[in-house]
Amino acid sequence: MMRLLGFLVFTTLLACGSKKVVVVKENVKANLEYLASDALEGRNTGTKGIEKAAVFIENYFKKNKVEPYFETYRDTFNIEDIIGYNVVGYIEGNDAQLKNEFVILGAHYDHIGTIKAVNGDSIANGANDDASGTVAVMEWANYFAKTKSNKRSMLFTLYSAEEMGLKGSEHLAKRLKEKGIDLYTMINFEMIGVPRAKNEIMAYMSGYEKSNMAKKLNSYIGSENIGFFPKAKSFNLFMRSDNYPFYNEFKVPAHAISTFDFTNFEYYHHVDDEVDKMDFNHMTQFINTMIPAIEGMVNSASKEIKMNNE
């Protein structure tokens, strides 16, 4: 019922708006099918496969009029002799003052490449981890490029080298800090390709207790869709995903949101993390449900999301 209510709130907002833009399952499926295809060979950083993924994301941004934030879409870094690329899209805010503040939405588009074969298959396609989050960020970039409904400026950031220890997001966070951007909030989306159990809230947020972000996002949606995951702290999830470098550099609310809770998907870092295991109805609903939450965040008159006193 909670999930349905969130989706109904979203569709009602669309119906009331001047531009009806909705994320459709066919687009979600098509983009994920490519990113998690064998042709990309598991998207390991520094390989031809992840280069194909980067070009695909860049072309998607270009086609949908999402601008590069830097001179090009690529934020380049080195890990010894490996060259990595984050892909960064930008949509300027439409408010003269608030556009100087930034909201970052992110996910990692790399995975672990090829591993020990299972039944002749050695490609770890990474459909859930994290092509699912990557596709979500791409869809939101497309949405805001079309609606231009953001008062604050937005960065749509896809990281490589997450699987090497958050190296891509660390590089980008430091670069943006040195640039002096006014970062309001950051959300990383990690493994949203499968639904939780029916008795569970749709998604959970790592570092839930560190800020009031989950409560504010739920209030923008109009229902409780982002919850607390008791095991998140024992699994150290807050520090294990690409939100953490932004929290570390900026000391602002920066969290990861996921629907993978270690009980609902058994193919983490496995060759069977494949497209056919993804629930595209769930993914599409999640992406659509989050839109009013993101709009609330980018359009609030003041910085309503704040760190808690821990």
Side-chain angles (χ1 to χ4, degrees):
M1 180 60 71
M2 289 179 182
R3 301 177 192 178
L4 178 60
L5 179 58
F7 185 69
L8 289 175
V9 169
F10 167 73
T11 52
T12 300
L13 287 171
L14 284 179
C16 295
S18 59
K19 297 180 181 179
K20 187 171 183 180
V21 178
V22 64
V23 175
V24 297
K25 181 173 72 172
E26 289 73 18
N27 293 343
V28 173
K29 187 172 186 289
N31 288 333
L32 196 143
E33 282 179 337
Y34 179 75
L35 288 172
S37 66
D38 284 355
L40 272 62
E41 300 178 324
R43 307 188 309 279
N44 201 3
T45 301
T47 66
K48 292 180 180 178
I50 200 169
E51 170 66 18
K52 291 178 182 178
V55 170
F56 180 76
I57 297 165
E58 289 171 317
N59 288 340
Y60 182 91
F61 281 170
K62 195 177 302 181
K63 174 185 174 183
N64 291 291
K65 297 182 172 54
V66 179
E67 299 296 323
Y69 182 64
F70 300 112
E71 186 175 341
T72 71
Y73 289 109
R74 298 198 184 194
D75 168 46
T76 306
F77 58 92
N78 292 82
I79 305 171
E80 296 180 354
D81 60 342
I82 296 173
I83 299 175
Y85 305 102
N86 300 315
V87 182
V88 184
Y90 168 58
I91 299 177
E92 186 178 27
N94 61 34
D95 182 271
Q97 296 300 319
L98 291 178
K99 72 178 183 180
N100 297 314
E101 299 174 7
F102 283 77
V103 168
I104 295 177
L105 304 181
H108 71 93
Y109 74 104
D110 70 310
H111 200 229
I112 58 173
T114 55
I115 57 177
K116 184 178 179 180
V118 177
N119 297 323
D121 181 9
S122 61
I123 299 175
N125 300 81
N128 195 37
D129 183 17
D130 189 27
S132 63
T134 298
V135 168
V137 172
M138 291 166 63
E139 289 291 346
W140 290 318
N142 179 29
Y143 174 87
F144 284 99
K146 285 181 168 54
T147 63
K148 303 187 186 306
S149 58
N150 55 300
K151 292 181 179 180
R152 290 184 173 85
S153 294
M154 303 181 73
L155 296 181
F156 302 87
T157 56
L158 289 316
Y159 315 111
S160 63
E162 187 269 356
E163 301 287 2
M164 295 180 172
L166 313 183
K167 297 301 184 184
S169 54
E170 281 181 358
H171 179 270
L172 181 59
K174 288 178 182 176
R175 185 176 183 184
L176 293 175
K177 180 68 173 178
E178 290 169 0
K179 191 175 174 67
I181 75 162
D182 184 357
L183 180 60
Y184 171 32
T185 55
M186 185 276 178
I187 306 179
N188 183 60
F189 294 88
E190 181 76 64
M191 292 186 277
I192 53 97
V194 292
R196 303 183 75 200
K198 290 182 180 179
N199 62 327
E200 299 284 357
I201 292 174
M202 180 178 68
Y204 67 88
M205 175 175 286
S206 69
Y208 182 94
E209 71 289 345
K210 291 182 179 295
S211 79
N212 67 342
M213 183 185 282
K215 293 178 181 178
K216 293 306 299 184
L217 295 182
N218 287 331
S219 73
Y220 298 145
I221 297 170
S223 62
E224 191 175 6
N225 288 273
I226 312 299
F228 173 72
F229 180 42
K231 293 184 179 180
K233 196 163 188 176
S234 63
F235 290 158
N236 203 25
L237 297 185
F238 182 74
M239 298 176 67
R240 287 175 57 188
S241 198
D242 287 310
N243 59 289
Y244 185 70
F246 292 91
Y247 168 77
N248 204 31
E249 288 290 338
F250 290 90
K251 296 300 186 287
V252 300
H255 299 266
I257 292 178
S258 182
T259 68
F260 165 70
D261 61 14
F262 300 87
T263 68
N264 58 344
F265 191 70
E266 58 184 314
Y267 302 114
Y268 173 71
H269 283 189
H270 193 285
V271 296
D272 287 334
D273 183 0
E274 299 264 19
V275 172
D276 63 2
K277 306 292 192 307
M278 299 298 96
D279 185 327
F280 291 104
N281 289 325
H282 156 75
M283 275 189 67
T284 306
Q285 182 179 336
F286 173 84
I287 293 168
N288 282 324
T289 298
M290 283 301 299
I291 288 176
I294 296 167
E295 286 189 323
M297 186 166 56
V298 298
N299 293 323
S300 62
S302 63
K303 291 182 176 180
E304 297 179 339
I305 298 172
K306 303 176 185 297
M307 298 300 298
N308 292 329
N309 294 322
E310 297 181 75

Coordinates of all heavy atoms in Angstrom, one line a residue, residues 116-157:
K116 N 35.7 -16.2 -11.9 CA 35.7 -17.6 -12.1 C 34.4 -18.0 -12.7 O 33.3 -17.7 -12.3 CB 35.9 -18.3 -10.8 CG 36.0 -19.8 -10.9 CD 36.2 -20.5 -9.5 CE 36.3 -22.0 -9.6 NZ 36.5 -22.6 -8.3
A117 N 34.5 -18.9 -13.8 CA 33.3 -19.3 -14.5 C 32.3 -20.1 -13.7 O 32.8 -21.0 -12.9 CB 33.7 -20.0 -15.8
V118 N 31.1 -19.9 -14.0 CA 30.0 -20.8 -13.5 C 29.2 -21.2 -14.6 O 28.6 -20.4 -15.4 CB 29.1 -20.0 -12.5 CG1 28.0 -20.9 -12.0 CG2 29.9 -19.5 -11.3
N119 N 29.2 -22.6 -14.9 CA 28.5 -23.1 -16.0 C 28.9 -22.4 -17.3 O 28.1 -22.2 -18.2 CB 27.0 -23.0 -15.9 CG 26.4 -23.8 -14.7 OD1 26.9 -24.9 -14.4 ND2 25.5 -23.2 -14.0
G120 N 30.2 -22.2 -17.4 CA 30.8 -21.6 -18.7 C 30.7 -20.1 -18.8 O 31.2 -19.6 -19.8
D121 N 30.1 -19.5 -17.8 CA 29.9 -18.0 -17.9 C 30.9 -17.4 -16.9 O 30.8 -17.6 -15.7 CB 28.5 -17.6 -17.6 CG 28.2 -16.1 -17.6 OD1 29.1 -15.4 -18.1 OD2 27.1 -15.7 -17.2
S122 N 31.7 -16.5 -17.4 CA 32.7 -15.8 -16.6 C 32.5 -14.3 -16.5 O 33.3 -13.6 -15.8 CB 34.1 -16.1 -17.1 OG 34.3 -15.6 -18.4
I123 N 31.5 -13.8 -17.1 CA 31.2 -12.3 -17.1 C 30.3 -11.9 -16.0 O 29.2 -12.4 -15.9 CB 30.6 -11.9 -18.5 CG1 31.6 -12.2 -19.6 CG2 30.3 -10.4 -18.4 CD1 31.0 -11.9 -21.0
A124 N 30.8 -11.1 -15.1 CA 30.0 -10.6 -14.0 C 29.3 -9.3 -14.5 O 29.9 -8.2 -14.4 CB 30.9 -10.3 -12.8
N125 N 28.1 -9.5 -15.0 CA 27.5 -8.4 -15.7 C 27.1 -7.2 -14.9 O 26.9 -6.1 -15.4 CB 26.2 -8.9 -16.5 CG 26.6 -10.0 -17.5 OD1 26.8 -11.1 -17.1 ND2 26.7 -9.6 -18.8
G126 N 26.8 -7.4 -13.6 CA 26.5 -6.3 -12.7 C 25.2 -5.6 -13.1 O 25.1 -4.4 -13.1
A127 N 24.2 -6.4 -13.3 CA 22.9 -5.7 -13.6 C 22.3 -5.0 -12.4 O 21.9 -3.8 -12.5 CB 21.9 -6.8 -14.1
N128 N 22.3 -5.7 -11.3 CA 21.8 -5.0 -10.1 C 22.9 -4.1 -9.5 O 22.6 -3.0 -9.0 CB 21.4 -6.1 -9.0 CG 20.6 -5.5 -7.9 OD1 19.8 -4.6 -8.1 ND2 20.8 -6.0 -6.7
D129 N 24.1 -4.5 -9.6 CA 25.3 -3.8 -9.0 C 26.2 -3.3 -10.1 O 27.1 -4.0 -10.5 CB 26.0 -4.8 -8.1 CG 27.2 -4.2 -7.4 OD1 27.3 -3.0 -7.3 OD2 28.0 -5.0 -6.9
D130 N 26.1 -2.1 -10.5 CA 25.0 -1.1 -10.2 C 24.5 -0.5 -11.5 O 24.3 0.7 -11.5 CB 25.6 -0.1 -9.2 CG 24.5 0.8 -8.6 OD1 23.4 0.4 -8.5 OD2 24.8 2.0 -8.3
A131 N 24.3 -1.4 -12.5 CA 23.7 -0.8 -13.7 C 22.3 -0.3 -13.3 O 21.8 0.6 -13.9 CB 23.6 -1.9 -14.8
S132 N 21.7 -0.9 -12.3 CA 20.3 -0.5 -11.9 C 20.3 0.9 -11.4 O 19.5 1.8 -11.8 CB 19.7 -1.4 -10.9 OG 20.5 -1.4 -9.7
G133 N 21.3 1.3 -10.5 CA 21.4 2.6 -10.0 C 21.8 3.6 -11.1 O 21.3 4.7 -11.2
T134 N 22.7 3.1 -12.0 CA 23.1 4.0 -13.1 C 22.0 4.4 -14.0 O 21.8 5.6 -14.4 CB 24.2 3.2 -13.9 OG1 25.3 3.0 -13.1 CG2 24.6 4.1 -15.2
V135 N 21.1 3.4 -14.4 CA 20.0 3.7 -15.2 C 19.0 4.7 -14.5 O 18.4 5.6 -15.1 CB 19.2 2.4 -15.6 CG1 17.9 2.7 -16.2 CG2 20.1 1.6 -16.5
A136 N 18.8 4.5 -13.2 CA 17.9 5.5 -12.5 C 18.5 6.9 -12.6 O 17.7 7.8 -12.9 CB 17.8 5.0 -11.0
V137 N 19.8 7.1 -12.4 CA 20.3 8.4 -12.5 C 20.2 9.0 -13.9 O 19.9 10.2 -14.1 CB 21.8 8.4 -12.0 CG1 22.5 9.8 -12.3 CG2 21.9 8.1 -10.5
M138 N 20.4 8.2 -14.9 CA 20.2 8.6 -16.3 C 18.8 9.0 -16.5 O 18.5 10.1 -17.2 CB 20.6 7.5 -17.2 CG 22.1 7.2 -17.2 SD 22.5 5.6 -18.1 CE 21.9 5.9 -19.7
E139 N 17.8 8.3 -16.0 CA 16.4 8.6 -16.2 C 16.0 9.9 -15.5 O 15.3 10.8 -16.0 CB 15.5 7.5 -15.7 CG 15.5 6.2 -16.5 CD 14.9 6.4 -17.9 OE1 14.2 7.4 -18.1 OE2 15.1 5.6 -18.8
W140 N 16.6 10.2 -14.3 CA 16.3 11.4 -13.6 C 16.9 12.6 -14.4 O 16.4 13.7 -14.4 CB 16.8 11.4 -12.2 CG 15.9 10.4 -11.3 CD1 14.6 10.3 -11.3 CD2 16.4 9.5 -10.4 NE1 14.2 9.4 -10.4 CE2 15.3 8.8 -9.8 CE3 17.7 9.1 -9.9 CZ2 15.4 7.8 -8.9 CZ3 17.8 8.2 -9.0 CH2 16.7 7.5 -8.4
A141 N 18.1 12.4 -14.9 CA 18.8 13.4 -15.7 C 17.9 13.8 -16.9 O 17.6 15.0 -17.2 CB 20.1 13.0 -16.2
N142 N 17.3 12.8 -17.6 CA 16.4 13.0 -18.7 C 15.2 13.8 -18.2 O 14.7 14.7 -18.9 CB 16.1 11.7 -19.3 CG 15.1 11.8 -20.5 OD1 15.1 12.8 -21.2 ND2 14.3 10.8 -20.7
Y143 N 14.6 13.4 -17.1 CA 13.4 14.0 -16.6 C 13.6 15.5 -16.3 O 12.8 16.3 -16.8 CB 13.0 13.3 -15.3 CG 11.8 14.0 -14.6 CD1 10.5 13.7 -14.9 CD2 12.0 15.0 -13.6 CE1 9.4 14.3 -14.3 CE2 11.0 15.6 -13.0 CZ 9.7 15.3 -13.4 OH 8.6 15.9 -12.8
F144 N 14.7 15.8 -15.6 CA 14.9 17.2 -15.2 C 15.4 18.1 -16.5 O 15.1 19.3 -16.5 CB 15.9 17.3 -14.1 CG 15.3 17.0 -12.8 CD1 15.5 15.7 -12.2 CD2 14.5 17.9 -12.1 CE1 14.9 15.4 -11.0 CE2 13.9 17.6 -10.9 CZ 14.1 16.3 -10.3
A145 N 16.0 17.4 -17.4 CA 16.4 18.1 -18.6 C 15.1 18.5 -19.4 O 15.1 19.6 -20.0 CB 17.3 17.3 -19.5
K146 N 14.1 17.7 -19.3 CA 12.8 18.0 -20.0 C 11.9 18.9 -19.3 O 11.3 19.8 -19.8 CB 12.1 16.7 -20.4 CG 12.7 15.9 -21.5 CD 12.0 14.6 -21.8 CE 12.4 14.0 -23.1 NZ 13.9 13.7 -23.1
T147 N 11.8 18.7 -18.0 CA 10.9 19.6 -17.2 C 11.5 20.9 -16.7 O 10.8 21.8 -16.5 CB 10.4 18.8 -15.9 OG1 11.5 18.5 -15.1 CG2 9.7 17.5 -16.3
K148 N 12.8 20.9 -16.6 CA 13.5 22.1 -16.0 C 12.8 22.5 -14.8 O 12.7 23.7 -14.5 CB 13.6 23.2 -17.1 CG 14.2 22.7 -18.4 CD 14.4 23.9 -19.3 CE 14.9 23.4 -20.7 NZ 16.1 22.6 -20.6
S149 N 12.5 21.6 -13.9 CA 11.7 21.8 -12.7 C 12.6 21.9 -11.5 O 12.2 21.7 -10.3 CB 10.7 20.8 -12.5 OG 11.3 19.5 -12.4
N150 N 13.9 22.3 -11.6 CA 14.9 22.3 -10.5 C 15.4 23.7 -10.3 O 15.9 24.3 -11.2 CB 16.0 21.4 -10.7 CG 16.8 21.6 -12.0 OD1 16.2 21.5 -13.1 ND2 18.0 21.9 -12.0
K151 N 15.1 24.3 -9.1 CA 15.6 25.6 -8.7 C 17.1 25.5 -8.4 O 17.9 26.4 -8.8 CB 14.8 26.1 -7.5 CG 13.4 26.5 -7.9 CD 12.6 27.0 -6.7 CE 11.2 27.4 -7.0 NZ 10.5 27.9 -5.9
R152 N 17.5 24.5 -7.7 CA 19.0 24.3 -7.5 C 19.6 23.6 -8.7 O 18.9 22.9 -9.5 CB 19.2 23.4 -6.2 CG 18.8 24.1 -4.9 CD 19.1 23.3 -3.7 NE 18.8 24.1 -2.5 CZ 17.7 24.2 -1.9 NH1 16.6 23.6 -2.4 NH2 17.5 25.0 -0.8
S153 N 20.9 23.7 -8.8 CA 21.6 23.0 -9.9 C 21.8 21.6 -9.5 O 21.9 21.3 -8.3 CB 22.9 23.7 -10.2 OG 22.7 25.0 -10.7
M154 N 21.9 20.7 -10.5 CA 22.0 19.3 -10.3 C 23.2 18.7 -11.0 O 23.4 19.1 -12.2 CB 20.7 18.6 -10.7 CG 19.5 19.1 -10.0 SD 18.0 18.3 -10.5 CE 18.2 16.7 -9.7
L155 N 23.9 17.8 -10.4 CA 24.9 17.0 -11.1 C 24.5 15.6 -11.1 O 24.0 15.0 -10.0 CB 26.3 17.1 -10.3 CG 26.9 18.5 -10.3 CD1 28.3 18.5 -9.6 CD2 27.1 19.1 -11.7
F156 N 24.6 14.9 -12.2 CA 24.3 13.5 -12.4 C 25.6 12.8 -12.6 O 26.2 12.9 -13.7 CB 23.3 13.4 -13.5 CG 22.0 14.1 -13.3 CD1 21.9 15.5 -13.7 CD2 20.9 13.6 -12.7 CE1 20.8 16.2 -13.5 CE2 19.8 14.3 -12.4 CZ 19.7 15.6 -12.9
T157 N 26.0 12.1 -11.6 CA 27.4 11.6 -11.6 C 27.4 10.1 -11.6 O 26.9 9.4 -10.7 CB 28.1 12.1 -10.3 OG1 27.3 11.8 -9.1 CG2 28.2 13.6 -10.3

